Amino acid sequence: MHKELTAKGRATRNRIIEGAAAVLREKDVSVATLDDIMAHTRTSKSQLFHYFPEGKDELLLAVARHEADQVLADQQPYLGCLDSWEAWHRWRDQVVKRYTEQGERCPLGSLVLHLGRSTPGARDVVVTLMRRWEENLATGIRALQTAGQLPAELDVEQRAAALLAGIQGGVLLLQSTGRADHLRAVLDQGISDLRRAAVI
Amino acid sequence: MHKELTAKGRATRNRIIEGAAAVLREKDVSVATLDDIMAHTRTSKSQLFHYFPEGKDELLLAVARHEADQVLADQQPYLGCLDSWEAWHRWRDQVVKRYTEQGERCPLGSLVLHLGRSTPGARDVVVTLMRRWEENLATGIRALQTAGQLPAELDVEQRAAALLAGIQGGVLLLQSTGRADHLRAVLDQGISDLRRAAVI
DNA sequence: GGTAGGCTGGACCAGCCAGTCCAGTCGAGC
DNA sequence: GCTCGACTGGACTGGCTGGTCCAGCCTACC
């Protein structure tokens, strides 16, 4: 697929994806039109359909993948080496900062919701993202275990799952209420409960 | 507003709201049309605009309010009297059951997202819902305090906020991955961390 | 320097769907 | 039983938007 793209073609394709991502960070999928994307990327409709023959959904899916990659990248390098309590706190700050800045928009969320079950592969994007995210958290907890900071019998999977869910909900509440209180609470509480587990 | 509605008129208006809610539980807002709602409620377009002069958005907002009321109602009577550990566990089961049955659809979520900032009042619906939900949780935690099951110095607000965020994220993950693991994990972990706080 | 095929521009089309309009019915109160 | 206004039916419209088509440009490769 797209093997035959020249360097110029690839550049244009990327420009479309990034431009579309920019558009979708400003307006909701249900409102954004191909014309918006054309205007923002200085492309014509034929180019859009040239690079995404299946049409709008294929383009949106590509944007969703692009955004999903961004989510974890934005948490690096912290998320990748959660091997001390200090590292956990730095990561916490990074997450709060990232989502406070992003504000009320959730391009990836609306995208996947919009594509929904009609577009095969849309769900996979978010499922994969969540799995990776959770794995990173689990790895971090295990790192604390091997560092002797946490007891070996801790249920790592459950902790990681609960933490991930908390973050998602915190972000959701940040986006719907405009306040980061919940996100902060869930991270603080999650980490301090983890620390407390160390003492027992 | 709508003071002058006769009994018949009120009945029709309610039929429209409930019918629309049923439609939106099956298809996403972005796909559902007024024709779908007409078909499902046996009404004509002029009736829709008679009862909701502002058009589709006004109708959707009414549906959103209707759905929001449902959310807390579905958690009763458990959510209302979280005054023992047993009550908390019964409530937990109820929540998991409710959202497992609901499956992947989240009518209220898509509705509010769809109405977004363009419709004043849409955000309020979800903000109010979340505030009430959180208050119920906080009341439950305080009930445990007065029952002597939890220490008085516990940060009730933070616990309630974190728990609410966890639930929202758990539901989100249930809807996007199809598995209830996260919701269960966050509730189990949340309640057991609370219990552990009792010991310390 | 020629040519095949990737790349680009933009006019055009067709379907969908919210919203309008008007003609007609029903029913409560006088 | 009359009348006024609430209520209902359904045809019509106008704008929007995803998608198509074709004609022409650019460039890598021979």
Side-chain angles (χ1 to χ4, degrees):
Chain A
M1 167 185 183
H2 296 300
K3 252 184 217 166
E4 69 287 345
L5 282 186
T6 65
K8 193 181 176 189
R10 245 175 291 129
T12 304
R13 196 184 131 97
N14 286 336
R15 196 175 79 234
I16 292 175
I17 292 180
E18 271 153 36
V23 169
L24 292 171
R25 253 173 258 132
E26 280 171 19
K27 29 174 73 179
D28 192 78
V29 192
S30 53
V31 184
T33 70
L34 290 185
D35 291 296
D36 291 328
I37 297 174
M38 283 162 58
H40 207 275
T41 55
R42 295 189 313 283
T43 48
S44 65
K45 201 163 269 189
S46 64
Q47 292 181 71
L48 259 40
F49 282 86
H50 179 71
Y51 293 105
F52 304 93
E54 308 273 282
K56 197 184 187 186
D57 283 356
E58 187 185 357
L59 168 55
L60 292 181
L61 187 58
V63 175
R65 276 196 250 269
H66 177 264
E67 292 289 321
D69 289 342
Q70 208 55 32
V71 171
L72 292 187
D74 283 351
Q75 293 177 56
Q76 298 302 356
Y78 308 110
L79 183 60
C81 62
L82 294 170
D83 50 7
S84 68
W85 292 117
E86 201 202 333
W88 277 83
H89 282 104
R90 274 200 306 265
W91 163 74
R92 182 211 94 115
D93 292 340
Q94 175 77 356
V95 170
V96 173
K97 180 160 168 282
R98 199 267 201 203
Y99 283 100
T100 307
E101 278 168 4
Q102 174 168 314
E104 314 184 4
R105 305 258 73 236
C106 184
L108 181 56
S110 348
L111 261 171
V112 173
L113 183 67
H114 179 83
L115 294 173
R117 72 194 86 268
S118 62
T119 312
R123 153 174 289 219
D124 289 346
V125 173
V126 64
V127 170
T128 306
L129 170 61
M130 290 303 154
R131 206 195 53 236
R132 284 205 201 122
W133 200 336
E134 192 169 340
E135 278 167 4
N136 272 287
L137 294 176
T139 304
I141 298 177
R142 283 201 204 87
L144 289 176
Q145 282 181 321
T146 53
Q149 305 268 15
L150 281 177
E153 63 274 18
L154 194 80
D155 187 341
V156 180
E157 312 305 332
Q158 175 160 308
R159 285 277 171 188
L163 203 47
L164 179 67
I167 296 168
Q168 300 312 314
V171 171
L172 187 93
L173 282 160
L174 165 57
Q175 277 153 9
S176 46
T177 68
R179 289 168 34 200
D181 304 8
H182 295 87
L183 181 58
R184 253 189 288 270
V186 87
L187 284 167
D188 287 345
Q189 196 71 70
I191 295 178
S192 72
D193 280 340
L194 207 54
R195 285 188 100 136
R196 202 165 309 157
V199 191
I200 298 174
Chain B
M1 168 185 185
H2 296 301
K3 253 184 217 166
E4 68 287 347
L5 281 186
T6 65
K8 194 181 176 190
R10 246 174 291 127
T12 304
R13 196 183 132 97
N14 285 337
R15 196 176 79 233
I16 293 175
I17 292 180
E18 271 153 35
V23 169
L24 292 171
R25 253 173 258 131
E26 281 170 18
K27 30 174 73 180
D28 192 77
V29 191
S30 53
V31 185
T33 69
L34 290 186
D35 290 295
D36 291 328
I37 297 174
M38 283 162 58
H40 207 275
T41 54
R42 295 189 314 285
T43 47
S44 66
K45 200 163 269 190
S46 62
Q47 294 181 69
L48 259 40
F49 281 87
H50 179 72
Y51 293 105
F52 304 93
E54 307 273 283
K56 198 185 188 186
D57 283 355
E58 188 186 356
L59 168 55
L60 293 181
L61 186 57
V63 175
R65 276 196 250 268
H66 177 265
E67 291 289 322
D69 290 341
Q70 207 55 32
V71 171
L72 293 187
D74 284 351
Q75 293 178 55
Q76 299 301 358
Y78 309 109
L79 183 60
C81 61
L82 294 171
D83 50 8
S84 69
W85 293 117
E86 200 201 335
W88 278 83
H89 282 103
R90 273 200 306 264
W91 164 74
R92 182 210 94 115
D93 292 340
Q94 175 77 355
V95 171
V96 173
K97 180 161 168 279
R98 199 266 200 204
Y99 283 100
T100 309
E101 278 169 3
Q102 174 169 316
E104 313 184 4
R105 305 260 73 236
C106 182
L108 181 56
S110 346
L111 261 170
V112 173
L113 183 68
H114 180 83
L115 294 173
R117 72 193 87 269
S118 63
T119 312
R123 152 175 290 220
D124 289 345
V125 173
V126 65
V127 170
T128 306
L129 170 62
M130 291 303 156
R131 205 195 52 234
R132 283 205 200 121
W133 199 336
E134 192 169 341
E135 278 168 4
N136 273 285
L137 295 176
T139 304
I141 298 177
R142 283 200 204 90
L144 289 176
Q145 281 181 321
T146 53
Q149 304 268 15
L150 281 176
E153 64 273 19
L154 194 81
D155 187 341
V156 180
E157 313 304 332
Q158 176 160 308
R159 285 279 170 186
L163 203 48
L164 179 67
I167 296 169
Q168 300 312 314
V171 170
L172 188 93
L173 283 159
L174 165 57
Q175 276 152 11
S176 46
T177 68
R179 289 168 34 201
D181 303 8
H182 295 87
L183 182 57
R184 253 189 288 269
V186 87
L187 284 167
D188 287 345
Q189 196 72 71
I191 294 178
S192 72
D193 280 340
L194 208 53
R195 284 189 100 135
R196 203 164 311 155
V199 191
I200 297 172

